[in-house]
Coordinates of all heavy atoms in Angstrom, one line a residue:
N30 N -144.0 -7.2 130.4 CA -144.7 -8.1 129.3 C -144.0 -7.9 128.0 O -143.9 -6.7 127.5 CB -146.1 -7.7 129.3 CG -147.0 -8.7 128.5 OD1 -146.4 -9.6 127.9 ND2 -148.3 -8.6 128.5
V31 N -143.6 -8.9 127.3 CA -143.0 -8.8 126.0 C -144.0 -8.4 124.9 O -143.7 -7.8 123.9 CB -142.3 -10.1 125.5 CG1 -141.1 -10.4 126.5 CG2 -143.3 -11.3 125.5
V32 N -145.3 -8.7 125.2 CA -146.4 -8.2 124.2 C -147.5 -7.5 125.0 O -148.5 -8.1 125.4 CB -147.0 -9.4 123.4 CG1 -148.0 -8.9 122.4 CG2 -145.9 -10.2 122.7
P33 N -147.2 -6.3 125.4 CA -148.3 -5.6 126.2 C -149.6 -5.4 125.5 O -150.6 -5.3 126.1 CB -147.6 -4.3 126.5 CG -146.6 -4.1 125.5 CD -146.1 -5.4 125.1
R34 N -149.5 -5.3 124.1 CA -150.7 -5.3 123.3 C -150.3 -5.9 121.9 O -149.2 -5.9 121.6 CB -151.3 -3.9 123.2 CG -150.4 -2.9 122.5 CD -151.1 -1.5 122.5 NE -150.3 -0.5 121.6 CZ -149.3 0.2 122.1 NH1 -148.9 0.0 123.3 NH2 -148.7 1.0 121.3
I35 N -151.4 -6.3 121.2 CA -151.1 -6.9 119.9 C -150.4 -5.9 119.0 O -150.8 -4.7 118.9 CB -152.5 -7.3 119.3 CG1 -153.1 -8.5 120.1 CG2 -152.2 -7.8 117.8 CD1 -152.3 -9.7 120.2
G36 N -149.4 -6.4 118.3 CA -148.7 -5.5 117.4 C -147.5 -4.8 118.0 O -146.8 -4.1 117.3
V37 N -147.2 -5.1 119.3 CA -146.1 -4.4 120.0 C -145.2 -5.5 120.6 O -145.7 -6.4 121.3 CB -146.6 -3.5 121.1 CG1 -145.5 -2.9 121.9 CG2 -147.5 -2.3 120.4
L38 N -143.9 -5.4 120.4 CA -143.0 -6.3 121.0 C -142.0 -5.4 121.8 O -141.3 -4.6 121.3 CB -142.2 -7.1 120.0 CG -141.1 -8.1 120.5 CD1 -141.7 -9.1 121.5 CD2 -140.5 -8.8 119.3
R39 N -141.9 -5.7 123.1 CA -141.0 -5.0 124.0 C -140.0 -6.0 124.7 O -140.3 -6.5 125.7 CB -141.7 -4.2 125.0 CG -142.5 -3.0 124.4 CD -143.2 -2.1 125.4 NE -143.9 -1.0 124.8 CZ -144.9 -0.3 125.4 NH1 -145.3 -0.6 126.6 NH2 -145.5 0.7 124.7
P40 N -138.8 -6.2 124.1 CA -138.0 -7.2 124.6 C -137.0 -6.9 125.6 O -136.4 -7.7 126.3 CB -137.2 -7.6 123.3 CG -137.1 -6.3 122.5 CD -138.4 -5.6 122.8
D41 N -136.7 -5.6 125.9 CA -135.5 -5.2 126.6 C -135.6 -5.7 128.1 O -134.5 -6.2 128.6 CB -135.4 -3.6 126.6 CG -135.0 -3.1 125.3 OD1 -134.6 -3.9 124.4 OD2 -135.1 -1.9 125.0
S42 N -136.7 -5.5 128.8 CA -136.7 -6.0 130.1 C -136.5 -7.5 130.3 O -135.8 -8.0 131.1 CB -138.1 -5.6 130.7 OG -138.2 -6.0 132.1
A43 N -137.1 -8.2 129.4 CA -137.0 -9.7 129.4 C -135.5 -10.1 129.1 O -135.0 -11.0 129.6 CB -138.0 -10.4 128.5
R44 N -134.9 -9.4 128.1 CA -133.5 -9.7 127.8 C -132.6 -9.5 129.0 O -131.7 -10.3 129.2 CB -133.1 -8.8 126.6 CG -133.7 -9.2 125.3 CD -133.1 -8.3 124.2 NE -131.6 -8.5 124.0 CZ -130.8 -7.7 123.3 NH1 -131.3 -6.7 122.6 NH2 -129.5 -8.0 123.2
S45 N -132.9 -8.4 129.7 CA -132.0 -8.2 130.9 C -132.2 -9.3 132.0 O -131.3 -9.7 132.6 CB -132.4 -6.8 131.5 OG -132.1 -5.7 130.6
A46 N -133.5 -9.7 132.1 CA -133.7 -10.8 133.1 C -133.1 -12.1 132.7 O -132.6 -12.8 133.5 CB -135.3 -10.9 133.3
I47 N -133.1 -12.4 131.4 CA -132.5 -13.6 130.9 C -131.0 -13.6 131.1 O -130.4 -14.6 131.5 CB -132.9 -13.8 129.4 CG1 -134.4 -14.2 129.3 CG2 -132.0 -14.9 128.8 CD1 -134.9 -14.2 127.8
R48 N -130.4 -12.4 130.8 CA -129.0 -12.3 131.0 C -128.7 -12.5 132.5 O -127.7 -13.2 132.9 CB -128.5 -10.9 130.6 CG -127.0 -10.8 130.7 CD -126.5 -9.4 130.4 NE -126.5 -9.2 129.0 CZ -125.8 -8.2 128.3 NH1 -125.1 -7.4 129.1 NH2 -125.9 -8.0 127.1
E49 N -129.5 -11.9 133.4 CA -129.2 -12.1 134.9 C -129.3 -13.6 135.2 O -128.4 -14.1 136.0 CB -130.3 -11.4 135.6 CG -130.3 -11.6 137.1 CD -131.5 -11.0 137.8 OE1 -132.1 -10.1 137.3 OE2 -131.9 -11.5 138.9
M50 N -130.2 -14.4 134.7 CA -130.3 -15.8 135.0 C -129.2 -16.6 134.3 O -128.7 -17.5 134.9 CB -131.7 -16.3 134.5 CG -132.8 -15.8 135.3 SD -132.7 -16.3 137.1 CE -134.3 -16.0 137.6
F51 N -128.7 -16.1 133.2 CA -127.6 -16.8 132.5 C -126.3 -16.7 133.4 O -125.6 -17.6 133.6 CB -127.3 -16.1 131.1 CG -126.0 -16.5 130.5 CD1 -125.9 -17.8 129.9 CD2 -124.9 -15.7 130.5 CE1 -124.7 -18.1 129.3 CE2 -123.7 -16.0 129.9 CZ -123.6 -17.3 129.3
L52 N -126.1 -15.5 133.9 CA -124.9 -15.3 134.7 C -125.0 -16.0 136.0 O -124.0 -16.6 136.5 CB -124.7 -13.8 135.0 CG -124.4 -12.9 133.8 CD1 -124.4 -11.4 134.2 CD2 -123.0 -13.3 133.2
R53 N -126.2 -16.1 136.6 CA -126.4 -16.7 137.9 C -126.3 -18.2 137.8 O -125.7 -18.9 138.7 CB -127.7 -16.3 138.5 CG -127.9 -16.7 140.0 CD -129.3 -16.5 140.5 NE -129.8 -15.2 140.3 CZ -131.1 -14.8 140.5 NH1 -131.9 -15.7 140.9 NH2 -131.4 -13.6 140.3
H54 N -126.9 -18.8 136.8 CA -127.1 -20.2 136.8 C -126.1 -20.9 135.8 O -125.6 -22.0 136.1 CB -128.5 -20.6 136.4 CG -129.5 -20.3 137.5 ND1 -129.8 -21.1 138.5 CD2 -130.2 -19.1 137.7 CE1 -130.7 -20.5 139.3 NE2 -130.9 -19.3 138.9
V55 N -125.9 -20.4 134.6 CA -125.0 -21.1 133.6 C -123.6 -20.8 133.9 O -122.8 -21.7 134.0 CB -125.4 -20.6 132.2 CG1 -124.4 -21.3 131.2 CG2 -126.8 -21.0 131.9
I56 N -123.3 -19.5 134.1 CA -121.9 -19.1 134.4 C -121.6 -19.4 135.9 O -120.5 -19.9 136.2 CB -121.6 -17.7 134.1 CG1 -121.9 -17.5 132.6 CG2 -120.2 -17.3 134.4 CD1 -121.1 -18.4 131.6
G57 N -122.5 -19.1 136.8 CA -122.2 -19.2 138.2 C -122.5 -20.6 138.7 O -122.2 -20.9 139.9
G58 N -123.0 -21.5 137.8 CA -123.3 -22.9 138.3 C -122.2 -23.8 138.3 O -122.4 -25.0 138.6
K59 N -120.9 -23.4 138.0 CA -119.7 -24.2 138.1 C -119.8 -25.4 137.1 O -119.1 -26.4 137.2 CB -119.5 -24.8 139.5 CG -119.2 -23.6 140.5 CD -118.8 -24.2 141.8 CE -118.5 -23.0 142.8 NZ -118.1 -23.5 144.2
R60 N -120.6 -25.3 136.0 CA -120.7 -26.3 135.0 C -119.5 -26.2 134.1 O -119.0 -27.2 133.6 CB -122.0 -26.1 134.2 CG -122.2 -27.2 133.2 CD -123.5 -27.0 132.5 NE -123.4 -26.0 131.4 CZ -124.4 -25.5 130.7 NH1 -125.6 -25.8 131.1 NH2 -124.2 -24.6 129.8
L61 N -119.0 -25.0 133.9 CA -117.9 -24.8 133.0 C -116.5 -24.6 133.7 O -115.5 -24.9 133.2 CB -118.2 -23.6 132.1 CG -119.4 -23.7 131.3 CD1 -119.7 -22.4 130.6 CD2 -119.4 -24.9 130.3
S62 N -116.6 -24.0 134.9 CA -115.3 -23.8 135.6 C -115.6 -23.8 137.1 O -116.7 -23.3 137.6 CB -114.8 -22.4 135.2 OG -113.6 -22.1 136.0
A63 N -114.7 -24.4 137.9 CA -114.8 -24.4 139.3 C -114.3 -23.1 140.0 O -114.4 -22.9 141.2 CB -114.0 -25.6 139.9
S64 N -113.7 -22.2 139.2 CA -113.1 -21.0 139.7 C -114.1 -19.8 139.7 O -114.8 -19.6 138.7 CB -111.9 -20.6 138.9 OG -111.4 -19.4 139.3
A65 N -114.1 -19.1 140.7 CA -115.0 -17.9 140.8 C -114.5 -16.8 139.8 O -115.2 -15.9 139.5 CB -115.0 -17.3 142.2
E66 N -113.3 -16.9 139.3 CA -112.7 -16.0 138.4 C -113.5 -16.0 137.1 O -113.7 -14.9 136.5 CB -111.3 -16.3 138.1 CG -110.6 -15.4 137.1 CD -109.2 -15.8 136.8 OE1 -108.7 -16.8 137.4 OE2 -108.5 -15.1 135.9

């Protein structure tokens, strides 16, 4: 949870998950390059 309680922001876990999805779908989605490289 990014806000486990009021006044607290914990971004690290969500940032890691967003990066995972970026690599899987934006970079791995062949929108920019057809090469696996």
Side-chain angles (χ1 to χ4, degrees):
N30 192 353
V31 296
V32 184
R34 63 181 187 276
I35 295 297
V37 175
L38 177 60
R39 291 183 179 161
D41 291 347
S42 178
R44 286 185 63 189
S45 296
I47 289 170
R48 182 183 288 196
E49 174 188 335
M50 289 302 194
F51 170 77
L52 294 174
R53 188 190 307 172
H54 291 271
V55 178
I56 300 303
K59 297 187 178 180
R60 186 178 79 191
L61 302 174
S62 176
S64 172
E66 182 182 356

